[in-house]
Amino acid sequence: MPLVVIRCADWVGPVREHARRLLCEALNVDSALDIAPLILRVGRRSRGAFGVDVLGQILRQASHGQLAVLFADPDRIVRRFAYRLAIEGRLLRPAELARAAAVDQDTVIQDLCATAALTALGDEEGYEGVLPLLLSARNPRVRSTGVTALRRAGWSEQAEPFLTDRSAIVRACARYVVRQRGGDPAAWYRERCTAPNDPELPPGAVIGLAECGNRADAGLLRPLLAHPAAGVRARTVAGLRALDCVDAKQIRPLLDDSVAEVVRETTAALLPSAKELSADWLLERTSSQRPRHVRVGAFRLLDARGGIVALRAAVGLFEDADVKLRTWAAQSVQRWHPSPDERRGDVEVRELLDRSRHLFSDYMLRRLKWEAGVNS
């Protein structure tokens, strides 16, 4: 049978037609379940659609219990195919679809089953077995589907806790539901951000305020830069960036934060102001005594500055203990070009390029030196 399936997509017409006749004669529900993964894999070929069509016709006769074998298949293509057939044949109850959306790791199946679960509901009573599963899912798209459905179910008041969800799409859906019932998400966020030392302040409330607030709300966010919770500090920096209210001098100390998430957000916020930062201050943070996330953040800012400062920082990281950072430094040198506002013929540039000789061919090194005016 596996050989017959493969020959159904053969490039020779008579072979292909004979194999297809054999497949139609031999395939039944039990054999189809066993060979479905191979048929679907062969179906990706240019002549493989026939086998997939036959498989679909056979498996439409399968029961829920028979298709359940394919729901657990490790191949996500097989699982997608099986769930589509089950939804088409209405073999799964809404609660089963919701559970599949919450448990399966494939995003296509999550969206497919979550949508089908809500579509299959016909009365408000059915939501009790579906929405809790969707709202507790790890995938944010499934949670957002559940949050949006709260309004349809008449449970709009339950959307409020999701205003601080870790996912932006879930927060946006929650704000929509709250607004539909007459609430004001921005005021709700402001109320929670007025206590800068509140240890229970959820990070989602900080970034949520930035997402639906205005530039005047930056005054509420800035005191949160010193919040004891790293998540709040990181979201505060992200929020100020979203509001276009970043003060480089104010957030610069967070580049030394002990938590990598905070340093990443700070680096992203400082990139537009990289040339305003002290080059020596940044170079000091690329030393081997600094934590890796601090070295990475400082190097990203130095690289954004360009010119000899970026070249000096990159060459200085050739001996860094971190393999990825050494690789990024080498890539920075390979794409380096002298800045037009710097003087040509700088001896330091020639020395740094000589230390980077192993990254270039002789021709490219001579060309780069000529561009920088340091021909040797």
Side-chain angles (χ1 to χ4, degrees), residues 324-346:
K324 287 187 177 180
L325 193 49
R326 292 201 305 269
T327 302
W328 294 336
Q331 293 170 346
S332 175
V333 173
Q334 288 174 324
R335 64 174 179 264
W336 181 85
H337 291 281
S339 298
D341 56 345
E342 292 185 345
R343 65 184 180 89
R344 291 168 54 83
D346 194 318

Side-chain angles (χ1 to χ4, degrees), residues 344-359:
R344 291 168 54 83
D346 194 318
V347 176
E348 184 184 3
V349 172
R350 181 172 60 192
E351 293 174 352
L352 292 172
L353 290 176
D354 285 338
R355 290 175 59 185
S356 310
R357 183 181 300 274
H358 62 288
L359 300 175

